Amino acid sequence: MEEADIRAYVAAAANAQGLALGADQLEPVVAVFTRTAAIAAPLLEFDLPEDTEPAPVFRP
Amino acid sequence: MNALAIAAAVREGRLRAVEAVGEALARINRHDGTVNAFVRHRGEQALREAAALDAARARGEPLPPLAGVPFAVKDNFDLRGEVTTAGSRVNLGRTPAAADALVVQRLRAAGAIPVGATNMDAYAYGFTTENSDFGATFNPRDLARTAGGSSGGSAAAVAAGMVPLALGTDTNGSVRVPAALCGVFGLKPTYGRLPRSGTFAFVHGLDHLGCFARGVADLTACYDAMQGGDASDPACDPRAAQPAGAQLALGVQGLRLARLGGYFEQWADDSGARGLRLAEKHLGELPVAQVPHTELARASAFLITAAEGGALHGRTVRAHYDRFEPHSRDRFLAGALTPAAWYLRAQRFRSWFRHQLEGLFEQFDVLLAPATPVTATLLGQERMDVNGIALPLRPSMGLLTQPISFAGLPVAVAPVAGPGQAPSGVQIIAAPWREDLCLRVAAHLENAAVASAPIAEGFA
């Protein structure tokens, strides 16, 4: 995502969730979201088999 | 005195419970001005409860296994009649807890007595216990440095000898990081082992409870007293307690050990890896096990934490933005905006990653890895350097713990310190539900004097 896209997404998604951010609150959240997007990128590229399901608790 | 020694002395009438609790309260009074491990004490109540225990003994009643043992809880465990702050003043107006957290009830049933609530990163989102509302906790082994977090108050209280046992929570490393940096033993059991009922949730899918002690026998006794499934926590497995205490003497006999390579070498510098190196010197050179795509496990744990933590607490943070912890408020808000597709991919990757680890446990029983990239950093430090790569410190201290809790595996941390050196923690990792193996290896390293957790110098 381009920086401008991230800023637009953060502002819109926050509004949609009732978390509207003031002008001085937006930038630090954009910075965190930018880092999060960078961390997510390789995971989204990974070739994860389609039949892999979430399963949080170990059952023996 | 350690916990089991206190309990034995109380049972045998050599020590009164009020003396044991009074001693803990005196140490807290003496040292907590320096360490800032506690946010609240319950001195009078704790002494009354201790007196009731002494009266029961006087009537000839049998005393339970942890009779008279003072312990501390991180301030995200409910204590009946008190307000659980989870490290934030925005919660000070909440209704006092109607009941103790379930594991606190179990420790009380075993005779242990809570003496206070300890400091933490706000809402457990952090690795340094630098809390803007309650002040930072200072590492008793070096007061210029952080205690680690987010359960830093509990680890510091144990390291400074204020209590022999303390409880913490671990979502991405919040028991293991402070155990390593404060130089105490820590245990994070299998995800789903201990019921979290009556604790303040951060990330439902990753939150674990755990404990700290200065010795493995104490750590195990505390863990054993808390075990047993309960339906009040939907992620808790219904299995009955599987006490590990009787296994400790078996040591490493018959166990196939390995150390984790690749990612786990890359993200530990000389100081972070020192504990493992000294352990290996004693255990003999270990085979190196590789876990594929560990970096994606860390990424996934990061995303699940952001998304679930943000979804659960984002509105509170937004409503109290100006008063909420500046170290984490932007992370909560950004986390609430995580696309569902990213979050679910991380959850699906969790299954894939677990499957890789299951394969590894066919070859090995126990895996060792460093607990932190570096040893304790300075309070206020913003960045750290790991093998030439500069990283933001606060989110990166859990690089080596996050992938393991992501897979839900049980881990004990053994603190190792050479003479005059900062403690360096070793993660001792086993297959799901095999906490007994983690604790056996920790006990072996303790018996060999490789790992140890004496009361910090100047706090004796």
Side-chain angles (χ1 to χ4, degrees), chain A residues 1 9-11 13-14 17-22 24-25 28-29 32-33 35-37 39-40 42-60, chain B residues 190-191 235 237-239 293 296 298-300 302-303 314-315 318 321 330-331 333-334 336-339 342 344-352 354 358 407-409 432-433:
Chain A
M1 270 198 279
Y9 171 80
V10 166
Q17 291 199 50
L19 299 171
L21 301 169
D24 52 337
Q25 295 162 353
V29 177
V32 174
F33 195 90
R35 278 207 303 275
T36 306
I39 286 171
L43 178 69
L44 301 174
E45 291 302 314
F46 182 67
D47 189 14
L48 191 60
E50 239 174 57
D51 60 359
T52 305
E53 286 187 41
V57 179
F58 281 111
R59 304 289 181 202
Chain B
T190 310
Y191 180 76
D237 192 82
R239 71 185 54 222
H293 294 295
L296 297 184
R298 192 267 171 166
S300 297
F302 188 97
L303 289 173
R315 279 174 179 267
R318 179 67 193 86
Y321 185 84
D330 299 315
R331 291 201 274 164
L333 291 170
L337 314 179
T338 308
W342 298 7
L344 283 165
R345 194 166 180 84
Q347 284 289 15
R348 290 175 55 229
F349 184 79
R350 194 176 186 182
S351 297
W352 184 91
R354 254 182 201 178
E358 275 162 18
L409 303 176
W433 314 115

Side-chain angles (χ1 to χ4, degrees), chain B residues 250-449:
Chain B
L250 297 174
V252 295
Q253 197 184 347
L255 296 183
R256 299 164 300 169
L257 306 181
R259 71 175 168 86
L260 292 175
Y263 176 97
F264 293 92
E265 293 170 320
Q266 181 189 348
W267 293 112
D269 80 356
D270 274 354
S271 70
R274 187 171 62 225
L276 178 57
R277 221 170 36 243
L278 291 170
E280 200 173 4
K281 218 164 142 186
H282 168 74
L283 294 165
E285 197 179 331
L286 300 171
V288 180
Q290 303 287 350
V291 196
H293 294 295
T294 304
E295 74 288 354
L296 297 184
R298 192 267 171 166
S300 297
F302 188 97
L303 289 173
I304 291 171
T305 302
E308 287 199 28
L312 191 59
H313 298 304
R315 279 174 179 267
T316 303
V317 173
R318 179 67 193 86
H320 302 283
Y321 185 84
D322 292 332
R323 297 171 63 221
F324 198 87
E325 175 61 72
H327 292 315
S328 57
R329 63 187 175 193
D330 299 315
R331 291 201 274 164
F332 275 109
L333 291 170
L337 314 179
T338 308
W342 298 7
Y343 169 75
L344 283 165
R345 194 166 180 84
Q347 284 289 15
R348 290 175 55 229
F349 184 79
R350 194 176 186 182
S351 297
W352 184 91
F353 188 68
R354 254 182 201 178
H355 188 66
Q356 309 303 312
L357 283 160
E358 275 162 18
L360 215 50
F361 285 116
E362 287 169 14
Q363 288 172 265
F364 303 108
D365 301 300
V366 173
L367 306 169
L368 304 184
T372 53
V374 298
T375 51
T377 50
L378 294 169
L379 285 158
Q381 193 176 323
E382 296 288 338
R383 300 188 75 76
M384 64 178 181
D385 183 279
V386 182
N387 296 329
I389 297 173
L391 297 170
L393 186 146
R394 290 193 182 90
S396 306
M397 216 46 186
L399 276 172
L400 302 172
T401 48
Q402 265 181 299
I404 308 299
S405 36
F406 174 65
L409 303 176
V411 190
V413 165
V416 177
Q421 289 176 322
S424 174
V426 181
Q427 291 190 90
I428 304 168
I429 306 155
W433 314 115
R434 296 310 307 269
E435 290 82 351
D436 58 324
L437 302 186
C438 306
L439 292 163
R440 277 173 54 185
V441 174
H444 175 83
L445 293 174
E446 183 184 31
N447 291 336

Side-chain angles (χ1 to χ4, degrees), chain B residues 226-243:
Chain B
M226 293 193 289
Q227 282 193 51
D230 194 89
S232 59
D233 175 354
C236 188
D237 192 82
R239 71 185 54 222
Q242 297 173 303

